[in-house]
Amino acid sequence: MTAFQTSIYMLITMSFLILAGNTCYPIFLRLIVWTFLKLLPKNEHWTDHRRTLHFLLDHPRRCYTNLFPARHTWWLLLAVIVLNGIDWMGFELLNLGNHAITSIPSGIRILDGLFQAFAVRSGGFYVVNISTVRISLQVLYVIMMYISVYPVVITMRNSNVYEERSLGIYADDPGYASTPTAKKRHKFSFRRTLTNTPLEDTTQYFVSQQLRAQLSHDIWWLVLAVFIIMCIEASSFEANPAVFSVFNVIFETVSAYGCVGISVGLPDQAYSFSGALKTGSKLVLCAVMIRGRHRGLPVAIDKAVLLPREELGGLEEDDAVIRMERTVSRGRGA
């Protein structure tokens, strides 16, 4: 993409496609469904279609893993804006005094920084040579590539209608014990994770738990991958320590884990840094890519991937009874 560094139309179009096809896919999907609902005429002929679209908007996670409720979609949009804003500001501020970047005309440089912010976490494109940007910005890119999938994954699992059961928040609830179907389902012996915690705090607890789990989920695999690659590339490091530095290996490994594709490259070659690695190192990167590609999958209990059965109806009734009793008890306490 360096050849299109000054192509405004190309950069804007590619930025839109990068967002629509990756992190902002759930946002665009809900926007499309909402737009169709608003465009359909309000007459008897389109009643069934409007009812279907209403159901999709009201119960999105019962139908598709990447279609979220309105509140979660707004949260995802905010997360995307914040993360991309950090990348954009980092590109502009951390490269002050860097002739390789400041030589670009100011207007184009701002657009290039915005495009790079969109691409660094998903697209894999870059309009400037990554090796020419400041090392501080490269470190920021490593962090952003590692957390690239977090907004979607956390939103997906936070909006799962059965995720509360996976956390086991019902075990010691009197409401759960008194539900008609609770006694029939001894296999659902859940333990309450937060005792005496209001339901409003459950979401915050869940998000924090997911964030901790995701941050440490595959960090040991990445450390092991970097260690193995450095062992394999020991001779290359001794011959050219600047090119085969530990940071370049970390950058390439995290890029592979995030399935991003950005590379620091090589000073005298047109291909990426991984092209200079030995076969064993390339196989390790392939394993890292497979591992990273599957970290965004929904959990096994996701409602959108469960087949309908009578048991699920009973579980939904239990959930409704528990929430109703909690609402009544909070109302009396107030």
Side-chain angles (χ1 to χ4, degrees):
M1 287 293 293
T2 54
F4 300 99
Q5 190 179 87
T6 59
S7 178
I8 298 177
Y9 172 77
M10 177 66 74
L11 294 178
I12 294 177
T13 304
M14 291 292 291
S15 298
F16 177 81
L17 294 177
I18 289 172
L19 291 176
N22 199 279
T23 311
C24 289
Y25 170 68
I27 300 174
F28 280 93
L29 184 60
R30 185 174 179 87
L31 177 62
I32 291 173
V33 175
W34 180 84
T35 303
F36 277 133
L37 177 62
K38 295 300 180 181
L39 292 178
L40 286 180
K42 296 182 179 180
N43 54 50
E44 186 177 354
H45 179 72
W46 298 99
T47 300
D48 290 340
H49 296 80
R50 292 181 59 85
R51 190 176 301 165
T52 301
L53 295 177
H54 268 298
F55 184 85
L56 282 174
L57 294 176
D58 294 338
H59 309 283
R61 292 292 277 106
R62 298 174 184 269
C63 306
Y64 188 36
T65 56
N66 283 292
L67 186 60
F68 305 141
R71 181 168 60 90
H72 297 82
T73 304
W74 282 111
W75 182 90
L76 177 60
L77 177 61
L78 177 62
V80 171
I81 292 175
V82 171
L83 292 178
N84 286 326
I86 293 174
D87 281 339
W88 189 13
M89 295 300 296
F91 182 90
E92 304 298 338
L93 297 179
L94 297 179
N95 280 315
L96 292 176
N98 184 356
H99 179 70
I101 305 300
T102 56
S103 60
I104 303 174
S106 58
I108 297 297
R109 184 170 67 248
I110 293 175
L111 182 59
D112 287 346
L114 181 60
F115 175 83
Q116 197 63 63
F118 292 149
V120 73
R121 295 188 306 113
S122 55
F125 304 107
Y126 43 91
V127 290
V128 295
N129 193 336
I130 297 298
S131 61
T132 62
V133 302
R134 291 286 171 77
I135 188 65
S136 54
L137 183 61
Q138 295 182 30
V139 173
L140 177 63
Y141 283 171
V142 169
I143 297 173
M144 289 301 177
M145 287 189 295
Y146 183 73
I147 66 173
S148 60
V149 77
Y150 285 5
V152 174
V153 168
I154 293 178
T155 305
M156 181 186 299
R157 296 183 177 176
N158 188 30
S159 61
N160 184 4
V161 294
Y162 282 117
E163 196 67 59
E164 290 176 343
R165 290 186 173 275
S166 71
L167 286 177
I169 66 170
Y170 291 152
D172 301 325
D173 283 334
Y176 178 70
S178 62
T179 51
T181 55
K183 298 179 180 179
K184 300 179 182 179
R185 297 183 179 86
H186 298 290
K187 61 180 179 179
F188 292 104
S189 56
F190 297 98
R191 288 291 179 185
R192 184 180 179 88
T193 309
L194 291 179
T195 306
N196 298 326
T197 301
L199 185 62
E200 292 81 3
D201 294 338
T202 303
T203 300
Q204 299 175 2
Y205 168 76
F206 176 78
V207 172
S208 65
Q209 288 296 99
Q210 283 291 327
L211 194 57
R212 293 177 187 175
Q214 290 294 328
L215 284 173
S216 60
H217 181 60
D218 283 340
I219 190 67
W220 301 112
W221 292 99
L222 291 178
V223 172
L224 180 61
V226 172
F227 175 75
I228 295 175
I229 292 176
M230 291 307 301
C231 290
I232 297 174
E233 302 296 333
S235 59
S236 301
F237 176 80
E238 293 176 358
N240 195 343
V243 174
F244 291 89
S245 64
V246 177
F247 178 78
N248 286 351
V249 173
I250 293 175
F251 192 99
E252 204 78 6
T253 304
V254 175
S255 178
Y257 175 73
C259 297
V260 177
I262 290 182
S263 175
V264 292
L266 295 168
D268 55 348
Q269 300 294 338
Y271 47 81
S272 66
F273 175 75
S274 60
L277 299 179
K278 298 178 181 178
T279 303
S281 301
K282 293 177 181 177
L283 292 176
V284 172
L285 286 181
C286 290
V288 171
M289 284 189 286
I290 294 174
R291 178 73 176 181
R293 191 69 181 93
H294 289 81
R295 65 173 174 162
L297 292 178
V299 291
I301 61 168
D302 200 299
K303 171 63 179 176
V305 297
L306 287 178
L307 295 177
R309 61 181 187 272
E310 183 180 354
E311 186 177 74
L312 294 182
L315 292 177
E316 290 181 350
E317 293 177 3
D318 290 351
D319 292 343
V321 171
I322 294 170
R323 288 188 173 90
M324 179 64 69
E325 291 184 356
R326 289 188 173 194
T327 302
V328 173
S329 62
R330 286 197 300 270
R332 291 174 179 174

